[in-house]
Amino acid sequence: MMLAGTIYLSFFGAAALMLLPARQARCARPLALLTALGGLACALAALVGRWSQIEPGALRDITNAPWIGELGIRFHLAADGISLTLVLLTGIAAVTGILFSWNIETRPREFFALYMALIGGVYGVFLSFDLFLLFVFYEIAIIPKYFLIAIWGSTRREYGAMKLALYSFAGSAMVLVGLIAAYVVAGAKTFDLVELAKYPFPAEFQSWAFLLVFVGFAILAGLWPFHTWAPTGHVAAPTGASMLLAGVVMKLGAYGALRVAMTLFPLGLHRWQHLIAALAVVGIVYGAAVALTQRDFKFVIGYSSVSHMGFVLLGLMTLTQIGLTGATLQMFSHGIIAGLLFAVVGRMIYDRAHTRDLNELGAFRLGKAMPFAAIVFVLAASASMGLPGFSGFIAEMQTLIGAWRVFPGLTVLAAVGILIGVAFLWRAQTKAFFPEGGSPAPGTHLAAITLPEKIGALTLLSTTILIGLYPRLLLDLIASAFQSPLMQPIWKGTLS
Amino acid sequence: MTTLPLLTGLIALPLAGGIALLLTKPAQEKLARAIGLATSLLALLIVGVIWSGFDRTSGGMQWVEQAAWAPSIGIEYHLGVDGISLLMLLLTTLLVPFSLLASWKISRQPKLYFALTLFLESGLLGTFTALNFIHWFLFWELSLIPAFFLIKIWGGPKAGAAAFQFFLYTMVGSVALLVAFLAIYAATNTFDFGQLAGLAAHGEIFGAHQRLAGAIFLAALLGFAVKVPLLPFHSWLPAAYAEAPTGASMLLTGAMSKMGVYGFLRILLPIFPEQMRAAQTPLLWLAVATIVFPAAAAFAQRDLKRMVAYSSINHLGYCLLGIIAATRLTPGGMDFTNEKAAALNGVVLQMFSHGLTAAALFYFVGLIEERAGGLRCLHDFGGLRQVAPVFCGLMGITVFASLGLPGLGGFVGEFLIFKGALPLASWAAAIATLGLLFTAIFLLTILQRVFAGPLPGKWSHWRDLSAAERWCVAPVIGLIFILGILPQAVLDVTNPTVLHLLQQF
Amino acid sequence: MSYFDLFKALIPEAIITGIALCLLAVDLAALRPQSMSVRLRWCGGMAILGCASAIGWMLLQPAQLQAGMLAIGPLTQWIKLSLLILTAFIAVISFSARFTVHVGEYFALLLFATVGLMLLVSADNFLLIFLALELLSISLYALTAFHKNRLASAEAALKYYLFGSVAAAFTLFGISLLYGVTGEIQLSGINAHLSAGHQEPIFYIALVMTLAGFAFKLAAAPFHFWAPDVYEGAPTPIAAYIASASKVGSFFVVARILWTAFPGARGGASAPGWMPVLVVLAVISMTLGNLAALMQRKVSRLLAYSAVAHGAYAVLALLAAPQQGLPSLLFYVITYALTALGAFAVVGVIEASGGRAELKDFAGFSRRAPLLAFCLLVFMLSLAGIPPLAGFFGKFYVFTAAAEATPRLSLLWLVILAVATSAVSLYYYLQILKQVYAAAPLEHLVWSPPARSSQWAIVLLAGTIIVLGCFPSLLLTRIAAVLSAHPF
């Protein structure tokens, strides 16, 4: 029950922010922070509650009431370990995103109202078990993104925003067709995921329906070659929105692909498994390689997101317990780490130096001018590289183990992707923070790092280290979810 | 045996000390230094306790700590020491206070420097005690970060490039290693070294990917070969050692390079015995190359630090020679156990003594550099013996220990290695003796160029070793002597472990 | 059945007609000397009163008549009710009209058009349908030309008239052929004739002719050419009327013709019948409407093309089986009408401030009128089909119904096309919203806040769209109730 509070609270916050009188615009930030904290508290409370009485594979209903009876649509909220993990991620990303948006001065009420609406939609997707409801929340998350970028963004913001909106909408159109087709074919007058998953769809139908729905969702997860919205969108977005984009919105796609496409159409899944795994690996290597050549710091991080989301998709395609667990943990881990990287680049550096060009940043001697930012970035980059001790390591490790069992050749390529990942992060880090030679540009004074930034950075850092050192906190939760009856179709006809 | 988790305490101690000294106020640099030194000495004390409580008759793991960590993916908190680990722990905890004392007067951000050194110690201690791959890998990688920053921030003018090269080489090796172990895990569902060694004895670690066994082995080998380094993966080393600040060079060569050799002993030998045997001949060639070429290359160097760095590669080459020779499958029932045991004991002893002597050499070179105001070219010096006799004497002892003079630390190790390797791999050992000769020649060249000959006028006011410096280096020199005269004290600890190791393949 | 019963059943239409005549008289006799705003208020108020009393009568005295030319039942009553509500909204947003001095005539014509619509939805006879259609059309031709100072208005009216008369000729020709073939002009009679198995080839010609005439009314491509000009040229409330009430009535009557007169001539994807005709209309309309809308710079033209596309989606519902098709069609067209009405109302506000309703005139609208801007956001997103707004559920329902229409998903390709073009449409709706929210306000436009009444109307419409989007059952249960009583 606590969990549904995350959704209601966020939308309530959005509405309250919208209705806030103009002269009280100062209250917008604290109000947004408060609602986001409330959401996080709900998620944590649910986690703690569940932690004490864990039962493997349980799917817990939160609400299940009729909504649109004519079409058998129900307001069905529920949660399992996967949902819970991602809800927790959303909570953390929401709170830290607000902390890193503390310097928004133009139209703060609208900014935070849209922000909270986006968060509410994301929570909704992670908790919906009625496909119609899930789709509704999924779409709700698209529109605020457009405005957040188009109004408060930077470089080519209108282009980036429109591209992102259209890609998302195209993806959701594919999903919509798949959902309608599944509804009609099953003929059971229900959109309930648990019910539909029991229906044996004909193999031929599954084959194309899976592809349609999976790719539709995976567009948002940055599946190569449909990833191009991601870098431009990330670059154009204001910091808080970039953090949400990389942190949770890309997870929406991966989550939908797992929750809907893979659960409903397992036969289709088996048919396309290898193709999608190959695309995922191409994404891993391509994203990393392109990141290596970028001059704009944010593009580096943007492409790195494409690369890391490739691991999520690769893990999903392994269809092994360890690979799927790894993929889910990678969603969490990447959400935290990418958020942190965007926070450093977008908020700490760009808002002060007003440039993100790696060649120009050298002149600021950021390593000396902003030691805090430098240390946070180095740690975040280490986490992103997959160094042990950080959450990314555990996640990518599991993914690779799972992948090795199924596609050994692709796994080696993915490992090469990791190496390129080290290289591009290294390059960006050296150019921006520790340039060789030269003297500091005269007269550049960069404002000190503020308290909200410090709190946000430390929260994210400690989360990734905590999960890296004690992954059981989430692993047991995730692993048990894959044993649930709902997930059983995935395993059919696979090893282990 | 005690239930006290001494090993966890040992690993956590430098970490805690490092954090504590970072938290001191900016004005309290002295306090910070004192905390650092005290922490490192305390760690040494704990190792002393473990040493004294160590059961010298058993070759198995002692002081074992084991707890679930992330069981669903085979990660366990698993610590333990055997003779080899124990010696490495002792080496590390000895070198850290030595290195801290050597860097006592460092002026730029001393707190951070001391903290990073302690973090590095933590990483090293963790690497030498972890018995679960992931647990071990965590420390293996974590030791990399402080080392990188030590080179990067306090290093010489080309430190950036050197640190990058160092990091990148090691990272490539690490990823290869990781992939290898993930592949093994995919087949066996365990990361535990002990269990893996047991499975390897039955050839079961590759599961369905038997035909990829060679590739997996090569990937794992790459990880260690870079770290040791084995030719041709050594090119990062001279630059990194030369650019690093003295204290860091001491730790890099003294302790970190041992991580690679330790990996050979702890991981490659027990887990890949078949593959090691299969690859013996090419590996022997590489080991010989690692001995001979760096020794020859050292001739061409004029930079003291680079010369010492090359000598370091050369000395680790002997370790590899011993290890690889010991993998030989003994045909026709001939029992070579004694030779193999000798070789491996020699390897362990060589690791220990090289750690001490190389660190001491870097210390002396660092002192020369400091006094000469940054100059460390061979041609810049001469005749220093006249003004700094104590300096000359102590450094001379170290150099002789390094080139293996009987009675000093280096001799016993090298002797045992050759004793074992000659019957096992005669041709390789024979060529390797050439390396001994080269080593002797270029090390003596250093002594001659720096201390003999005419004294340049600008060095007439050269300071001899101060009392503090003498006290600093005295324990190490003492240990070099003890090791040369009483190697039995160390061999008692290592021999059961080596025999235990030999039983496994 | 006596004439009195017949009259009782037609009392709502009689009320509206009576009020329209009164309006003319009152305006002529009493209101001429008054100022424009007073006249607008009085006349508009009377029109709203007329609508309200007709609604009240229908609610109090539900009529049931199934004989002769008229077929009145709960369903038609309900449709008329919606039409009257829409008309009342049009009257409200006309309060701030500045385009004419002939206030009485304006509202009277509006009411006459509404009477036409009401008769149209009650008719069960081709002749009456044609007469009602002409009443509606002729009123609308005149209303379109009401913007006397604007050349575009006259041009639009002329185009509307020319295209309309040709279309009417087509319809009449089709009807006469039908009569020739079947000897019937009663809808149910034609069905009886068809079910008896008489289907000559000429019947299909008649069918296509009739449908072509209605396709003009629905602005389905390729019969849509009048729409952009009329939407642009006509006074904004009239454009809103054409887009909303007229659409609802026309779709309803087309559905009624297809499902009562020609259910047997449905045909299949390949078999002859009206289904292939509708499929062709839908494909052309959704593609052309959405693509053409991408290039528009004037919001009214953009809305016209979007109306073409939305018409195509409604046609999808006609393809479905009546059990699913009719409720989805009704939900869709009614929510669409509300949305379009709201959108035009906001366009009217912009035009009243001196803009020409070009895209750039919307720049910075959110800074000037946050509330209205939010309402526009709701309308646009609802048109684009974004949940949780009514437009989304409408589309969803229609698409589901169309996918279910045929066994083995053979119409799914059409649904895919519809969803895809709908995704394209987001682009141009966002173009408007981008101006509203992201662009800086233009300096040369003097912002004059709209009349409070139209502001309330807009807010009410936006609220309805949100509520119906979140709880579509509110409307669906009503539709289900009237359908279960007596379809058609």
Side-chain angles (χ1 to χ4, degrees):
Chain A
M1 205 51 230
M2 283 305 284
L3 276 173
T6 55
I7 306 175
Y8 305 142
L9 208 57
S10 308
F11 284 125
F12 169 77
L17 281 160
M18 212 150 44
L19 298 175
L20 203 65
R23 58 183 187 286
Q24 271 158 15
R26 282 182 305 113
C27 303
R29 282 177 294 204
L31 183 58
L33 184 62
L34 214 60
T35 43
L37 277 174
L40 180 59
C42 286
L44 282 174
L47 185 73
V48 172
R50 178 164 294 242
W51 188 246
S52 55
Q53 39 175 323
I54 191 160
E55 25 181 312
L59 174 70
R60 286 211 197 155
D61 271 6
I62 301 167
T63 318
N64 193 352
W67 181 21
I68 307 173
E70 287 74 8
L71 287 175
I73 296 168
R74 302 179 69 81
F75 192 76
H76 185 186
L77 298 179
D80 62 0
I82 304 167
S83 316
L84 204 54
T85 306
L86 293 170
V87 165
L88 185 67
L89 167 68
T90 312
I92 297 173
V95 170
T96 50
I98 290 175
L99 288 174
F100 283 106
S101 309
W102 210 252
N103 61 336
I104 293 276
E105 296 297 344
T106 46
R107 300 156 79 182
R109 289 172 304 153
E110 286 167 288
F111 180 88
F112 287 110
L114 288 167
Y115 186 96
M116 290 315 296
L118 171 55
I119 293 290
V122 173
Y123 277 132
V125 171
F126 291 145
L127 293 174
S128 299
F129 276 75
D130 184 284
L131 293 180
F132 181 84
L133 183 63
L134 186 142
F135 188 79
V136 165
F137 282 124
Y138 188 75
E139 296 262 296
I140 288 179
I142 293 179
I143 296 302
K145 273 185 313 194
Y146 173 80
F147 288 108
L148 284 174
I149 299 174
I151 301 180
W152 290 273
S154 55
T155 323
R156 293 218 290 166
R157 59 186 181 195
E158 285 171 6
Y159 169 76
M162 188 57 92
K163 192 167 172 182
L164 187 155
L166 290 183
Y167 266 81
S168 313
F169 210 56
S172 65
M174 293 167 76
V175 172
L176 183 63
V177 171
L179 293 191
I180 290 177
Y183 172 79
V184 171
V185 168
K189 282 269 165 206
T190 180
F191 277 102
D192 197 284
L193 182 65
V194 184
E195 296 301 318
L196 280 180
K198 290 178 191 152
Y199 184 82
F201 291 100
E204 198 199 340
F205 171 76
Q206 290 203 22
S207 173
W208 62 262
F210 170 79
L211 203 59
L212 202 63
V213 178
F214 188 93
V215 172
F217 276 118
I219 285 178
L220 213 52
L223 172 70
W224 189 88
F226 309 106
H227 65 284
T228 59
W229 65 269
T232 47
H234 285 121
V235 169
T239 305
S242 306
M243 291 175 67
L244 283 194
L245 267 188
V248 292
V249 171
M250 290 184 94
K251 311 305 171 294
L252 288 184
Y255 176 82
L258 165 66
R259 181 64 89 205
V260 181
M262 292 173 64
T263 317
L264 284 191
F265 311 119
L267 296 178
L269 167 63
H270 293 152
R271 165 136 186 221
W272 298 108
Q273 182 190 7
H274 288 264
L275 174 71
I276 293 173
L279 290 182
V281 171
V282 173
I284 293 173
V285 177
Y286 173 85
V290 176
L292 195 55
T293 63
Q294 298 300 314
R295 272 184 70 174
D296 187 322
F297 207 164
K298 256 195 176 181
F299 264 115
V300 176
I301 314 292
Y303 276 106
S304 90
S305 279
V306 174
S307 180
H308 283 116
M309 286 305 290
F311 279 99
V312 174
L313 295 170
L314 179 64
L316 291 182
M317 285 304 113
T318 62
L319 299 187
T320 57
Q321 170 80 35
I322 194 164
L324 287 164
T325 315
T328 314
L329 192 66
Q330 171 77 349
M331 291 191 214
F332 182 88
S333 159
H334 173 254
I336 301 288
I337 297 169
L340 190 55
L341 289 172
F342 275 116
V344 174
V345 175
R347 173 73 181 89
M348 295 187 186
I349 297 178
Y350 181 63
D351 284 355
R352 294 184 168 81
H354 303 292
T355 178
R356 291 189 305 252
D357 190 311
L358 284 173
N359 296 343
E360 293 171 16
L361 278 176
F364 290 95
R365 321 290 296 172
L366 292 172
K368 295 210 172 60
M370 287 200 286
F372 183 82
I375 290 172
V376 169
F377 187 85
V378 169
L379 287 174
S382 312
S384 186
M385 289 172 193
L387 251 53
F390 298 99
S391 55
F393 172 72
I394 304 284
E396 286 180 9
M397 181 192 95
Q398 284 178 290
T399 308
L400 288 178
I401 293 173
W404 175 264
R405 290 190 182 152
V406 193
F407 337 93
L410 289 176
T411 313
V412 174
L413 281 180
V416 173
I418 296 187
L419 276 180
I420 308 176
V422 173
F424 74 71
L425 281 166
W426 192 277
R427 169 179 168 272
Q429 174 179 317
T430 313
K431 284 198 158 195
F433 291 99
F434 312 109
E436 299 291 330
S439 55
T444 49
H445 176 72
L446 303 175
I449 304 283
T450 60
L451 185 64
E453 289 170 75
K454 284 188 181 166
I455 297 174
L458 291 179
T459 310
L460 291 173
L461 264 184
S462 47
T463 309
T464 176
I465 292 176
L466 179 68
I467 298 303
L469 289 182
Y470 198 62
R472 270 183 88 179
L473 276 179
L474 293 178
L475 274 186
D476 291 356
L477 212 60
I478 299 169
S480 77
F482 282 106
Q483 297 303 328
S484 72
L486 178 62
M487 290 295 177
Q488 286 318 303
I490 295 182
W491 307 114
K492 260 180 219 155
T494 58
L495 40 122
S496 78
Chain B
M1 287 284 157
T2 166
T3 51
L4 209 63
L6 265 190
L7 288 179
T8 304
L10 178 65
I11 296 165
L13 179 71
L15 208 59
I19 293 170
L21 76 84
L22 274 184
L23 293 179
T24 55
K25 295 207 181 76
Q28 295 170 315
E29 271 176 11
K30 265 197 175 147
L31 176 66
R33 286 194 177 104
I35 292 176
L37 187 61
T39 312
S40 65
L41 289 174
L42 195 58
L44 181 56
L45 186 70
I46 294 178
V47 173
V49 172
I50 296 175
W51 181 278
S52 64
F54 192 80
D55 178 5
R56 285 173 173 68
T57 57
S58 154
M61 286 296 160
Q62 305 184 28
W63 305 80
V64 175
E65 294 171 30
Q66 202 164 3
W69 193 344
S72 60
I73 46 170
I75 305 179
E76 242 187 337
Y77 186 82
H78 193 179
L79 293 173
V81 284
D82 62 2
I84 301 172
S85 322
L86 183 58
L87 209 61
M88 290 302 108
L89 292 186
L90 184 64
L91 177 65
T92 309
T93 47
L94 274 171
L95 286 181
V96 169
F98 185 28
S99 155
L100 287 181
L101 284 173
S103 325
W104 199 254
K105 291 191 189 129
I106 201 150
S107 57
R108 195 195 306 168
Q109 292 180 305
K111 265 166 45 177
L112 190 58
Y113 181 91
F114 274 53
L116 285 175
T117 307
L118 288 179
F119 293 155
L120 177 58
E121 180 177 18
S122 216
L124 287 165
L125 295 176
T127 312
F128 290 135
T129 50
L131 295 177
N132 178 291
F133 175 76
I134 296 295
H135 181 184
W136 174 86
F137 192 69
L138 177 76
F139 286 106
W140 168 272
E141 292 284 299
L142 282 191
S143 63
L144 199 59
I145 296 176
F148 166 74
F149 279 110
L150 285 173
I151 301 175
K152 171 101 203 170
I153 301 180
W154 289 273
K158 289 179 196 151
F164 178 56
Q165 223 180 3
F166 164 70
F167 193 87
L168 198 67
Y169 266 80
T170 321
M171 200 70 191
V172 171
S174 297
V175 170
L177 190 60
L178 181 65
V179 170
F181 269 83
L182 295 187
I184 290 174
Y185 178 80
T188 61
N189 278 323
T190 179
F191 278 125
D192 192 89
F193 288 151
Q195 290 179 25
L196 284 177
L199 288 171
H202 307 102
E204 285 167 3
I205 57 167
F206 300 109
H209 300 295
Q210 205 65 45
R211 68 202 157 78
L212 290 172
I216 295 174
F217 165 68
L218 285 180
L221 178 69
L222 181 66
F224 298 114
V226 167
K227 197 83 169 185
V228 174
L230 183 69
L231 240 65
F233 306 106
H234 67 291
S235 59
W236 61 271
L237 188 142
Y241 284 17
E243 293 301 325
T246 303
S249 301
M250 290 164 66
L251 280 184
L252 281 177
T253 185
M256 275 194 88
S257 63
K258 306 303 175 293
M259 283 166 69
V261 184
Y262 178 81
F264 268 85
L265 289 172
R266 171 71 66 228
I267 294 172
L268 285 182
L269 275 192
I271 297 179
F272 300 96
E274 294 293 328
Q275 288 70 30
M276 283 292 278
R277 266 181 215 126
Q280 194 196 22
T281 312
L283 282 178
L284 271 179
W285 277 113
L286 288 181
V288 169
T290 310
I291 293 169
V292 176
F293 288 116
F299 272 121
Q301 301 301 321
R302 288 295 163 260
D303 179 333
L304 280 173
K305 265 194 168 172
R306 289 183 90 90
M307 290 181 89
V308 180
Y310 276 111
S311 92
S312 208
I313 305 180
N314 157 274
H315 279 100
L316 290 166
Y318 297 125
C319 293
L320 293 183
L321 176 68
I323 291 171
I324 294 160
T327 58
R328 179 168 170 197
L329 192 64
T330 41
M334 278 164 65
D335 184 21
F336 276 112
T337 311
N338 279 336
E339 282 76 7
K340 290 179 177 178
L344 288 184
N345 273 319
V347 167
V348 181
L349 210 58
Q350 168 79 348
M351 283 160 79
F352 189 71
S353 72
H354 172 257
L356 292 178
T357 46
L361 268 182
F362 269 108
Y363 176 66
F364 285 119
V365 172
L367 285 182
I368 292 177
E369 189 185 0
E370 182 197 351
R371 282 171 199 197
L375 291 178
R376 52 172 200 242
C377 190
L378 217 47
H379 298 301
D380 294 329
F381 303 100
L384 290 181
R385 184 170 53 90
Q386 303 163 25
V387 283
V390 182
F391 199 132
C392 171
L394 291 182
M395 185 162 169
I397 292 171
T398 319
V399 167
F400 281 117
S402 182
L403 59 80
L405 193 72
L408 293 175
F411 170 72
V412 192
E414 283 176 19
F415 174 76
L416 284 175
I417 290 174
F418 276 101
K419 175 170 178 263
L422 269 170
L424 287 166
S426 323
W427 58 269
I431 304 172
T433 44
L434 270 182
L436 278 181
L437 190 66
F438 286 145
T439 316
I441 295 173
F442 83 77
L443 282 175
L444 290 173
T445 314
I446 295 179
L447 278 187
Q448 188 198 350
R449 285 290 179 88
V450 175
F451 292 106
L455 178 73
K458 57 182 172 179
W459 303 138
S460 53
H461 297 293
W462 190 274
R463 279 191 299 110
D464 204 347
L465 285 186
S466 67
E469 284 159 352
R470 283 177 210 187
W471 280 114
C472 175
V473 79
V476 178
I477 301 284
L479 272 173
I480 288 175
F481 274 111
I482 293 175
L483 217 52
I485 298 163
L486 284 175
Q488 208 54 38
V490 172
L491 289 177
D492 274 350
V493 172
T494 58
N495 197 38
T497 307
V498 165
L499 290 176
H500 184 252
L501 184 61
L502 283 173
Q503 280 163 15
Q504 291 181 352
F505 64 96
Chain C
M1 185 189 66
S2 66
Y3 281 109
F4 180 69
D5 287 339
L6 193 60
F7 177 69
K8 234 178 95 179
L10 284 177
I11 277 186
E13 284 85 348
I15 293 176
I16 302 292
T17 317
I19 290 278
L21 294 173
C22 286
L23 247 169
L24 282 174
V26 169
D27 185 49
L28 189 67
L31 292 173
R32 272 290 149 90
Q34 303 292 332
S35 74
M36 272 302 292
S37 62
V38 173
R39 287 172 69 194
L40 278 166
R41 266 164 223 277
W42 274 96
C43 293
M46 279 175 75
I48 294 168
L49 195 70
C51 292
S53 42
I55 290 171
W57 177 267
M58 280 196 288
L59 290 178
L60 293 175
Q61 298 279 328
Q64 181 80 35
L65 192 71
Q66 185 71 41
M69 291 187 151
L70 291 173
I72 296 171
L75 178 61
T76 50
Q77 295 260 32
W78 191 78
I79 299 288
K80 286 198 244 176
L81 210 110
S82 331
L83 291 173
L84 287 169
I85 293 174
L86 290 170
T87 311
F89 268 113
I90 302 286
V92 173
I93 63 169
S94 305
F95 278 176
S96 47
R98 297 284 176 272
F99 48 81
T100 181
V101 289
H102 307 287
V103 178
E105 288 84 343
Y106 172 78
F107 283 108
L109 278 172
L110 188 64
L111 291 182
F112 287 140
T114 308
V115 171
L117 271 176
M118 289 165 78
L119 285 173
L120 189 64
V121 298
S122 328
D124 191 32
N125 178 298
F126 265 123
L127 207 56
L128 186 60
I129 287 176
F130 184 74
L131 285 177
L133 204 58
E134 284 306 289
L135 176 57
L136 170 69
S137 303
I138 292 171
S139 311
L140 288 179
Y141 301 151
L143 284 169
T144 304
F146 241 70
H147 210 318
K148 290 283 168 54
N149 308 330
R150 237 162 81 184
L151 206 57
S153 180
E155 184 196 333
L158 191 64
K159 267 193 189 164
Y160 195 17
Y161 169 69
L162 287 175
F163 277 109
S165 6
V166 173
F170 268 109
T171 316
L172 202 56
F173 187 48
I175 292 173
S176 59
L177 279 181
L178 272 179
Y179 181 66
V181 172
T182 63
E184 282 279 358
I185 52 169
Q186 202 71 12
L187 295 187
S188 36
I190 292 175
N191 183 31
H193 184 86
L194 288 178
S195 346
H198 313 285
Q199 293 193 10
E200 295 85 6
I202 193 130
F203 163 76
Y204 292 106
I205 297 176
L207 185 67
V208 171
M209 290 288 179
T210 321
L211 281 181
F214 281 102
F216 161 82
K217 203 74 216 155
L218 302 175
F223 304 98
H224 68 287
F225 293 105
W226 57 274
D229 292 316
V230 170
Y231 279 46
E232 184 192 354
T236 312
I238 297 309
Y241 188 82
I242 296 173
S244 57
S246 163
K247 266 263 162 76
V248 173
S250 309
F251 265 108
F252 180 75
V253 77
V254 170
R256 170 174 236 166
I257 292 172
L258 291 178
W259 282 328
T260 57
F262 307 135
R266 186 176 157 83
S270 54
W274 46 264
M275 218 157 135
V277 182
L278 290 189
V279 168
V280 171
L281 283 181
V283 169
I284 301 178
S285 300
M286 64 179 71
T287 337
L288 200 136
N290 280 314
L291 294 182
L294 290 178
M295 285 160 241
Q296 302 308 315
R297 287 285 157 268
K298 287 202 74 166
V299 175
S300 45
R301 292 185 80 85
L302 190 154
L303 285 174
Y305 282 109
S306 116
V308 172
H310 280 277
Y313 302 142
V315 168
L316 285 189
L318 291 174
L319 294 172
Q323 298 87 330
Q324 286 299 317
L326 195 53
S328 67
L329 176 74
L330 291 181
F331 186 91
Y332 184 78
V333 290
I334 286 176
T335 51
Y336 171 72
L338 292 173
T339 321
L341 183 52
F344 272 107
V346 181
V347 172
V349 169
I350 298 276
E351 280 187 333
S353 303
R356 297 193 49 233
E358 305 244 348
L359 265 178
K360 60 176 168 23
D361 292 338
F362 282 77
F365 188 48
S366 75
R367 246 69 50 90
R368 293 191 161 127
L371 187 62
L372 287 185
F374 179 75
C375 292
L376 186 62
L377 175 91
V378 170
F379 298 137
M380 288 300 146
L381 294 184
S382 176
L383 287 176
I386 302 286
L389 302 170
F392 167 71
F393 184 75
K395 275 187 190 168
F396 182 81
Y397 199 5
V398 165
F399 295 163
T400 311
E404 275 180 308
T406 50
R408 305 194 57 244
L409 294 172
S410 52
L411 269 185
L412 192 71
W413 65 271
L414 193 57
V415 175
I416 292 176
L417 184 68
V419 175
T421 52
S422 174
V424 172
S425 76
L426 183 69
Y427 176 79
Y428 53 81
Y429 295 121
L430 279 182
Q431 288 293 345
I432 301 179
L433 293 178
K434 185 177 88 183
Q435 293 292 332
V436 171
Y437 278 95
L442 291 178
E443 295 306 324
H444 72 267
L445 285 184
V446 186
W447 169 243
S448 61
R452 182 143 309 171
S453 51
S454 48
Q455 205 160 349
W456 275 112
I458 292 169
V459 172
L460 190 62
L461 286 169
T464 314
I465 286 162
I466 297 176
V467 170
L468 283 184
C470 292
F471 306 103
S473 291
L474 291 177
L475 190 56
L476 288 176
T477 46
R478 292 293 312 138
I479 294 174
V482 294
L483 283 180
S484 66
H486 194 283
F488 298 115

